[in-house]
Amino acid sequence: MSPNQPSPPAGEVRRGQPPTLRDVAEAAGVHAATASRALNPSTRRLVSAETARRVMKAAKTLGYQPNPIARSLKTAKSSTIGLVIPDLTNPLFPPIVRGIENVLEAEGYSAWIVNTDNDPERERSRIDSLRSRQVEGLIVATARLDHPFLEKLHEQGVKMVLVNRRTENLAIPCVTADDATGIALAVRHLVDLGHTRIAHLAGPHSTSTGVVRARAFRHAVRDHGLEDDSRLIVECAHWNEADGAAATRELLDRATPFTAIVAGNDLIALGSYDVFAERGISCPEEISVVGFNDMPYLDKLRPPLTTVRVPHHDIGAEAARMLLDCIDDPTRHPRSLLLPVTMVVRASTAPLR
Amino acid sequence: MSPNQPSPPAGEVRRGQPPTLRDVAEAAGVHAATASRALNPSTRRLVSAETARRVMKAAKTLGYQPNPIARSLKTAKSSTIGLVIPDLTNPLFPPIVRGIENVLEAEGYSAWIVNTDNDPERERSRIDSLRSRQVEGLIVATARLDHPFLEKLHEQGVKMVLVNRRTENLAIPCVTADDATGIALAVRHLVDLGHTRIAHLAGPHSTSTGVVRARAFRHAVRDHGLEDDSRLIVECAHWNEADGAAATRELLDRATPFTAIVAGNDLIALGSYDVFAERGISCPEEISVVGFNDMPYLDKLRPPLTTVRVPHHDIGAEAARMLLDCIDDPTRHPRSLLLPVTMVVRASTAPLR
DNA sequence: CTGGCCAGCGCAATCGTTTGCGTTAAATCT
DNA sequence: AGATTTAACGCAAACGATTGCGCTGGCCAG
């Protein structure tokens, strides 16, 4: 046996229970209060170097792990934040989650993840339960442009930062991808390939991402001297394949000619793929498609999807950092962070013949 | 304003703080102990119906939410379990997580999710931190066949159930897919298509899933009267695309003829796809491939991947149920649950020409 | 009429930490 | 040398809930 293995406490314990602060205090021959101060780096200067050393040694040999529950009760801080997402099953979110947890972990924080399935009622109840668990802040990925519940929470002083999407209220800090530039990149790519009639399958206009990308699309086509034809824009009810497919069908049925599609996101583009298969349309020969997000395994699709890569991991990491900043300094001015995106050209886009 | 909105406490509060049990007791004109008993359904019979009613009414009008931290400290129960997975980013896991949370939520439990990235050291430290957070049990998806750490935890009485994979020790309950049947289905499907020389890209033999599927593969080919040629089996170092690709290359380089591959899982099959592209091999014309798991978006691949569908959501749900059972009744006999799988035939498999 | 029982409730300890305050003894100043 | 600061530490009260135990008063039986 190695001398100091942390998992099973090496030293003698009181009664089979994990050692408490009192146990290490006793072992070090001091009072629990002193042990507490010795163990906490920020109060360690209150005890002599010698006793601090003794206490820390005792803690190590006993395998002492502070009880976060007791600590939370006293300090009213839980070292815990809530993470509110629509659905973990959407490949968009796991990288964000990992990014968040990476920075949280380094600061001794952890995250509670809840799924709302885009149901406002469920969102309320899950957030209520998060708050009763004393989370110190929220990272929210379910924002809609008009979102009174979130606004109310913010007014109540609940610390939060939005990811991916925003509300209309700019007072709530958020970190998102640079959607406008991404769309501009996508349009420019298609224009470079010779396309002049480009359609847009917009995301739901209830979300900031949906309207920002749609607006950026119109700007971009005009910037290239193309006609801004509203018949070439159709809005999807949700950010998923089914609604992407429905929108594609409607677009096709409008019979306004076009040769390329800028999809609101990758899932919507996948919906287009389904309709192409349905109707025997070949991509990219007849219609080029570009997605948005660069979710995993897009390179293995038929055809590999050209898309705009957004740094999901970084979005999560930055959001977590921002939230921790807000918690540390509540007077902090809210900031909005825009993360750069890049174009990933694959085989779903081709030169106009 | 509606008379009783739960989020912002409606009644008067002490000092801007959320109301405590004592506040409720005071409002109802009873002692905190009585209020506690009145509010808890299982102790409610200890107070008179009339006082119970008064207390509950006071709690509602004050918007009282019990403080789970204080409760946990006293009861040493956290209504919390730990979920240990390799990497949330692997599309295998989100559905399992959702399944788990669905049943947990109904019982008032929540899950802490930690990622180990398959690093044993990280696994130890994350599980230690989970335990210090007083989780009541663990759902573990990172089991290796030989896994002394998990065994030790189990011996220490840590309640846990394994998902997807198992240890050699059968004393630890687990819920997995019926891997053997799945592989048999895959082999039969290929045999029905006329294939006689079938290869297997096995998962790592350090995992139960890897060895069970490999063994099932050999049994299946023999059952069909085919030759069990060990040159047609190569083990992947990990369950991912890169190692799947490496294994595929090795298989090809062995120059033992074969016309079909049973991949250990979908990710490994995707690795094969990469190599096919590399070497100009066409699938399914030259080589048929079947995967395992049926992860999302496989139907949009080039070609759509034939695979074995495993009910990930159910696996999670059953595991959670099993863990809650173990917590409720610690004397419970460990069970191993095998969930049925189904064949999903798409276009990566074709009749032998 | 007295003793015993029980329903209903309050008292106070407890869970493991943190922290304001008081106490001691050593160190510094005049 | 005596007065005063200060470093180091202990005491005890919190944080908010749960729970064993004891007390009260009403009820019934003997």
PDB file of all heavy atoms in Angstrom, chain B residues 294-315:
ATOM      1  N   ASP B 294     -26.515   2.854 -33.662  1.00  0.00           N
ATOM      2  CA  ASP B 294     -27.431   3.759 -34.348  1.00  0.00           C
ATOM      3  C   ASP B 294     -27.411   5.156 -33.754  1.00  0.00           C
ATOM      4  O   ASP B 294     -28.416   5.691 -33.293  1.00  0.00           O
ATOM      5  CB  ASP B 294     -28.871   3.223 -34.348  1.00  0.00           C
ATOM      6  CG  ASP B 294     -29.737   3.971 -35.358  1.00  0.00           C
ATOM      7  OD1 ASP B 294     -29.175   4.489 -36.348  1.00  0.00           O
ATOM      8  OD2 ASP B 294     -30.966   4.040 -35.140  1.00  0.00           O
ATOM      9  N   MET B 295     -26.255   5.763 -33.781  1.00  0.00           N
ATOM     10  CA  MET B 295     -26.165   7.142 -33.338  1.00  0.00           C
ATOM     11  C   MET B 295     -26.878   8.059 -34.333  1.00  0.00           C
ATOM     12  O   MET B 295     -27.220   7.632 -35.437  1.00  0.00           O
ATOM     13  CB  MET B 295     -24.692   7.546 -33.158  1.00  0.00           C
ATOM     14  CG  MET B 295     -23.823   7.389 -34.390  1.00  0.00           C
ATOM     15  SD  MET B 295     -22.118   7.947 -34.087  1.00  0.00           S
ATOM     16  CE  MET B 295     -22.062   9.421 -35.135  1.00  0.00           C
ATOM     17  N   PRO B 296     -27.142   9.305 -33.956  1.00  0.00           N
ATOM     18  CA  PRO B 296     -27.948  10.187 -34.807  1.00  0.00           C
ATOM     19  C   PRO B 296     -27.306  10.467 -36.175  1.00  0.00           C
ATOM     20  O   PRO B 296     -26.086  10.424 -36.319  1.00  0.00           O
ATOM     21  CB  PRO B 296     -28.020  11.486 -33.992  1.00  0.00           C
ATOM     22  CG  PRO B 296     -27.697  11.104 -32.604  1.00  0.00           C
ATOM     23  CD  PRO B 296     -26.788   9.927 -32.690  1.00  0.00           C
ATOM     24  N   TYR B 297     -28.126  10.749 -37.122  1.00  0.00           N
ATOM     25  CA  TYR B 297     -27.729  11.249 -38.447  1.00  0.00           C
ATOM     26  C   TYR B 297     -26.989  10.234 -39.298  1.00  0.00           C
ATOM     27  O   TYR B 297     -26.420  10.590 -40.326  1.00  0.00           O
ATOM     28  CB  TYR B 297     -26.883  12.532 -38.313  1.00  0.00           C
ATOM     29  CG  TYR B 297     -27.536  13.522 -37.398  1.00  0.00           C
ATOM     30  CD1 TYR B 297     -26.961  13.864 -36.182  1.00  0.00           C
ATOM     31  CD2 TYR B 297     -28.763  14.094 -37.741  1.00  0.00           C
ATOM     32  CE1 TYR B 297     -27.595  14.761 -35.327  1.00  0.00           C
ATOM     33  CE2 TYR B 297     -29.394  14.974 -36.895  1.00  0.00           C
ATOM     34  CZ  TYR B 297     -28.804  15.308 -35.692  1.00  0.00           C
ATOM     35  OH  TYR B 297     -29.432  16.177 -34.849  1.00  0.00           O
ATOM     36  N   LEU B 298     -27.016   8.984 -38.886  1.00  0.00           N
ATOM     37  CA  LEU B 298     -26.369   7.947 -39.666  1.00  0.00           C
ATOM     38  C   LEU B 298     -27.056   7.778 -41.014  1.00  0.00           C
ATOM     39  O   LEU B 298     -26.436   7.335 -41.988  1.00  0.00           O
ATOM     40  CB  LEU B 298     -26.453   6.622 -38.889  1.00  0.00           C
ATOM     41  CG  LEU B 298     -25.175   6.045 -38.308  1.00  0.00           C
ATOM     42  CD1 LEU B 298     -24.180   7.123 -37.938  1.00  0.00           C
ATOM     43  CD2 LEU B 298     -25.481   5.165 -37.133  1.00  0.00           C
ATOM     44  N   ASP B 299     -28.336   8.128 -41.052  1.00  0.00           N
ATOM     45  CA  ASP B 299     -29.096   7.962 -42.287  1.00  0.00           C
ATOM     46  C   ASP B 299     -28.674   8.982 -43.348  1.00  0.00           C
ATOM     47  O   ASP B 299     -29.014   8.845 -44.501  1.00  0.00           O
ATOM     48  CB  ASP B 299     -30.596   8.085 -42.008  1.00  0.00           C
ATOM     49  CG  ASP B 299     -30.923   9.403 -41.322  1.00  0.00           C
ATOM     50  OD1 ASP B 299     -30.114   9.867 -40.489  1.00  0.00           O
ATOM     51  OD2 ASP B 299     -31.986   9.984 -41.619  1.00  0.00           O
ATOM     52  N   LYS B 300     -27.942  10.007 -42.928  1.00  0.00           N
ATOM     53  CA  LYS B 300     -27.529  11.029 -43.888  1.00  0.00           C
ATOM     54  C   LYS B 300     -26.096  10.829 -44.362  1.00  0.00           C
ATOM     55  O   LYS B 300     -25.553  11.660 -45.083  1.00  0.00           O
ATOM     56  CB  LYS B 300     -27.661  12.401 -43.257  1.00  0.00           C
ATOM     57  CG  LYS B 300     -29.018  12.635 -42.642  1.00  0.00           C
ATOM     58  CD  LYS B 300     -29.647  13.877 -43.096  1.00  0.00           C
ATOM     59  CE  LYS B 300     -31.108  13.916 -42.735  1.00  0.00           C
ATOM     60  NZ  LYS B 300     -31.494  13.022 -41.621  1.00  0.00           N
ATOM     61  N   LEU B 301     -25.497   9.734 -43.914  1.00  0.00           N
ATOM     62  CA  LEU B 301     -24.118   9.480 -44.306  1.00  0.00           C
ATOM     63  C   LEU B 301     -24.019   9.038 -45.758  1.00  0.00           C
ATOM     64  O   LEU B 301     -25.020   8.747 -46.409  1.00  0.00           O
ATOM     65  CB  LEU B 301     -23.548   8.372 -43.410  1.00  0.00           C
ATOM     66  CG  LEU B 301     -22.635   8.795 -42.275  1.00  0.00           C
ATOM     67  CD1 LEU B 301     -23.167  10.048 -41.604  1.00  0.00           C
ATOM     68  CD2 LEU B 301     -22.503   7.689 -41.260  1.00  0.00           C
ATOM     69  N   ARG B 302     -22.796   8.989 -46.219  1.00  0.00           N
ATOM     70  CA  ARG B 302     -22.547   8.456 -47.557  1.00  0.00           C
ATOM     71  C   ARG B 302     -21.785   7.176 -47.414  1.00  0.00           C
ATOM     72  O   ARG B 302     -20.599   7.236 -47.139  1.00  0.00           O
ATOM     73  CB  ARG B 302     -21.749   9.461 -48.377  1.00  0.00           C
ATOM     74  CG  ARG B 302     -21.085   8.807 -49.589  1.00  0.00           C
ATOM     75  CD  ARG B 302     -20.486   9.759 -50.550  1.00  0.00           C
ATOM     76  NE  ARG B 302     -19.771  10.884 -49.970  1.00  0.00           N
ATOM     77  CZ  ARG B 302     -19.464  11.988 -50.666  1.00  0.00           C
ATOM     78  NH1 ARG B 302     -19.816  12.094 -51.930  1.00  0.00           N
ATOM     79  NH2 ARG B 302     -18.795  12.953 -50.123  1.00  0.00           N
ATOM     80  N   PRO B 303     -22.302   6.005 -47.621  1.00  0.00           N
ATOM     81  CA  PRO B 303     -23.745   5.727 -47.726  1.00  0.00           C
ATOM     82  C   PRO B 303     -24.371   5.654 -46.344  1.00  0.00           C
ATOM     83  O   PRO B 303     -23.651   5.498 -45.364  1.00  0.00           O
ATOM     84  CB  PRO B 303     -23.758   4.343 -48.375  1.00  0.00           C
ATOM     85  CG  PRO B 303     -22.536   3.689 -47.851  1.00  0.00           C
ATOM     86  CD  PRO B 303     -21.507   4.781 -47.721  1.00  0.00           C
ATOM     87  N   PRO B 304     -25.714   5.762 -46.262  1.00  0.00           N
ATOM     88  CA  PRO B 304     -26.410   5.593 -44.981  1.00  0.00           C
ATOM     89  C   PRO B 304     -25.992   4.284 -44.329  1.00  0.00           C
ATOM     90  O   PRO B 304     -25.973   3.246 -44.981  1.00  0.00           O
ATOM     91  CB  PRO B 304     -27.887   5.560 -45.387  1.00  0.00           C
ATOM     92  CG  PRO B 304     -27.939   6.331 -46.656  1.00  0.00           C
ATOM     93  CD  PRO B 304     -26.647   6.060 -47.359  1.00  0.00           C
ATOM     94  N   LEU B 305     -25.632   4.356 -43.070  1.00  0.00           N
ATOM     95  CA  LEU B 305     -25.006   3.204 -42.419  1.00  0.00           C
ATOM     96  C   LEU B 305     -26.025   2.217 -41.860  1.00  0.00           C
ATOM     97  O   LEU B 305     -26.887   2.572 -41.051  1.00  0.00           O
ATOM     98  CB  LEU B 305     -24.093   3.690 -41.289  1.00  0.00           C
ATOM     99  CG  LEU B 305     -23.303   2.622 -40.541  1.00  0.00           C
ATOM    100  CD1 LEU B 305     -22.310   1.929 -41.455  1.00  0.00           C
ATOM    101  CD2 LEU B 305     -22.585   3.225 -39.341  1.00  0.00           C
ATOM    102  N   THR B 306     -25.919   0.973 -42.293  1.00  0.00           N
ATOM    103  CA  THR B 306     -26.663  -0.108 -41.658  1.00  0.00           C
ATOM    104  C   THR B 306     -26.066  -0.342 -40.281  1.00  0.00           C
ATOM    105  O   THR B 306     -24.843  -0.340 -40.112  1.00  0.00           O
ATOM    106  CB  THR B 306     -26.527  -1.393 -42.495  1.00  0.00           C
ATOM    107  OG1 THR B 306     -27.174  -1.195 -43.752  1.00  0.00           O
ATOM    108  CG2 THR B 306     -27.163  -2.569 -41.779  1.00  0.00           C
ATOM    109  N   THR B 307     -26.944  -0.509 -39.288  1.00  0.00           N
ATOM    110  CA  THR B 307     -26.409  -0.612 -37.933  1.00  0.00           C
ATOM    111  C   THR B 307     -27.369  -1.364 -37.026  1.00  0.00           C
ATOM    112  O   THR B 307     -28.449  -1.778 -37.449  1.00  0.00           O
ATOM    113  CB  THR B 307     -26.129   0.797 -37.365  1.00  0.00           C
ATOM    114  OG1 THR B 307     -25.397   0.691 -36.156  1.00  0.00           O
ATOM    115  CG2 THR B 307     -27.423   1.547 -37.117  1.00  0.00           C
ATOM    116  N   VAL B 308     -26.954  -1.534 -35.800  1.00  0.00           N
ATOM    117  CA  VAL B 308     -27.793  -2.171 -34.788  1.00  0.00           C
ATOM    118  C   VAL B 308     -28.239  -1.095 -33.816  1.00  0.00           C
ATOM    119  O   VAL B 308     -27.406  -0.404 -33.235  1.00  0.00           O
ATOM    120  CB  VAL B 308     -27.014  -3.267 -34.032  1.00  0.00           C
ATOM    121  CG1 VAL B 308     -27.868  -3.854 -32.922  1.00  0.00           C
ATOM    122  CG2 VAL B 308     -26.543  -4.343 -34.987  1.00  0.00           C
ATOM    123  N   ARG B 309     -29.519  -0.952 -33.689  1.00  0.00           N
ATOM    124  CA  ARG B 309     -30.019   0.119 -32.821  1.00  0.00           C
ATOM    125  C   ARG B 309     -30.081  -0.340 -31.381  1.00  0.00           C
ATOM    126  O   ARG B 309     -30.673  -1.365 -31.067  1.00  0.00           O
ATOM    127  CB  ARG B 309     -31.406   0.557 -33.271  1.00  0.00           C
ATOM    128  CG  ARG B 309     -32.045   1.568 -32.287  1.00  0.00           C
ATOM    129  CD  ARG B 309     -33.316   2.145 -32.841  1.00  0.00           C
ATOM    130  NE  ARG B 309     -33.079   2.807 -34.114  1.00  0.00           N
ATOM    131  CZ  ARG B 309     -34.024   3.076 -35.003  1.00  0.00           C
ATOM    132  NH1 ARG B 309     -35.265   2.721 -34.766  1.00  0.00           N
ATOM    133  NH2 ARG B 309     -33.726   3.683 -36.133  1.00  0.00           N
ATOM    134  N   VAL B 310     -29.467   0.442 -30.515  1.00  0.00           N
ATOM    135  CA  VAL B 310     -29.597   0.119 -29.096  1.00  0.00           C
ATOM    136  C   VAL B 310     -30.383   1.239 -28.413  1.00  0.00           C
ATOM    137  O   VAL B 310     -30.239   2.409 -28.754  1.00  0.00           O
ATOM    138  CB  VAL B 310     -28.229  -0.168 -28.408  1.00  0.00           C
ATOM    139  CG1 VAL B 310     -27.143  -0.427 -29.420  1.00  0.00           C
ATOM    140  CG2 VAL B 310     -27.860   0.905 -27.445  1.00  0.00           C
ATOM    141  N   PRO B 311     -31.246   0.865 -27.505  1.00  0.00           N
ATOM    142  CA  PRO B 311     -32.179   1.812 -26.886  1.00  0.00           C
ATOM    143  C   PRO B 311     -31.499   2.616 -25.782  1.00  0.00           C
ATOM    144  O   PRO B 311     -31.673   2.325 -24.597  1.00  0.00           O
ATOM    145  CB  PRO B 311     -33.271   0.906 -26.311  1.00  0.00           C
ATOM    146  CG  PRO B 311     -32.559  -0.374 -25.996  1.00  0.00           C
ATOM    147  CD  PRO B 311     -31.442  -0.512 -26.982  1.00  0.00           C
ATOM    148  N   HIS B 312     -30.755   3.635 -26.199  1.00  0.00           N
ATOM    149  CA  HIS B 312     -29.951   4.351 -25.215  1.00  0.00           C
ATOM    150  C   HIS B 312     -30.783   5.041 -24.148  1.00  0.00           C
ATOM    151  O   HIS B 312     -30.445   5.041 -22.970  1.00  0.00           O
ATOM    152  CB  HIS B 312     -29.072   5.374 -25.927  1.00  0.00           C
ATOM    153  CG  HIS B 312     -28.018   4.738 -26.756  1.00  0.00           C
ATOM    154  ND1 HIS B 312     -27.980   4.811 -28.122  1.00  0.00           N
ATOM    155  CD2 HIS B 312     -26.962   3.973 -26.403  1.00  0.00           C
ATOM    156  CE1 HIS B 312     -26.936   4.129 -28.583  1.00  0.00           C
ATOM    157  NE2 HIS B 312     -26.316   3.614 -27.561  1.00  0.00           N
ATOM    158  N   HIS B 313     -31.868   5.635 -24.593  1.00  0.00           N
ATOM    159  CA  HIS B 313     -32.729   6.309 -23.628  1.00  0.00           C
ATOM    160  C   HIS B 313     -33.207   5.323 -22.557  1.00  0.00           C
ATOM    161  O   HIS B 313     -33.162   5.603 -21.359  1.00  0.00           O
ATOM    162  CB  HIS B 313     -33.915   6.936 -24.367  1.00  0.00           C
ATOM    163  CG  HIS B 313     -34.753   7.838 -23.527  1.00  0.00           C
ATOM    164  ND1 HIS B 313     -35.726   7.370 -22.683  1.00  0.00           N
ATOM    165  CD2 HIS B 313     -34.738   9.182 -23.372  1.00  0.00           C
ATOM    166  CE1 HIS B 313     -36.293   8.396 -22.070  1.00  0.00           C
ATOM    167  NE2 HIS B 313     -35.713   9.504 -22.471  1.00  0.00           N
ATOM    168  N   ASP B 314     -33.609   4.160 -23.017  1.00  0.00           N
ATOM    169  CA  ASP B 314     -34.100   3.152 -22.076  1.00  0.00           C
ATOM    170  C   ASP B 314     -32.987   2.666 -21.150  1.00  0.00           C
ATOM    171  O   ASP B 314     -33.214   2.405 -19.970  1.00  0.00           O
ATOM    172  CB  ASP B 314     -34.682   1.955 -22.838  1.00  0.00           C
ATOM    173  CG  ASP B 314     -35.911   2.360 -23.636  1.00  0.00           C
ATOM    174  OD1 ASP B 314     -36.399   3.481 -23.423  1.00  0.00           O
ATOM    175  OD2 ASP B 314     -36.371   1.557 -24.470  1.00  0.00           O
ATOM    176  N   ILE B 315     -31.810   2.523 -21.713  1.00  0.00           N
ATOM    177  CA  ILE B 315     -30.690   2.094 -20.883  1.00  0.00           C
ATOM    178  C   ILE B 315     -30.509   3.068 -19.726  1.00  0.00           C
ATOM    179  O   ILE B 315     -30.382   2.675 -18.558  1.00  0.00           O
ATOM    180  CB  ILE B 315     -29.392   2.010 -21.719  1.00  0.00           C
ATOM    181  CG1 ILE B 315     -29.450   0.804 -22.641  1.00  0.00           C
ATOM    182  CG2 ILE B 315     -28.170   1.930 -20.807  1.00  0.00           C
ATOM    183  CD1 ILE B 315     -28.167   0.557 -23.404  1.00  0.00           C
TER     184      ILE B 315
END
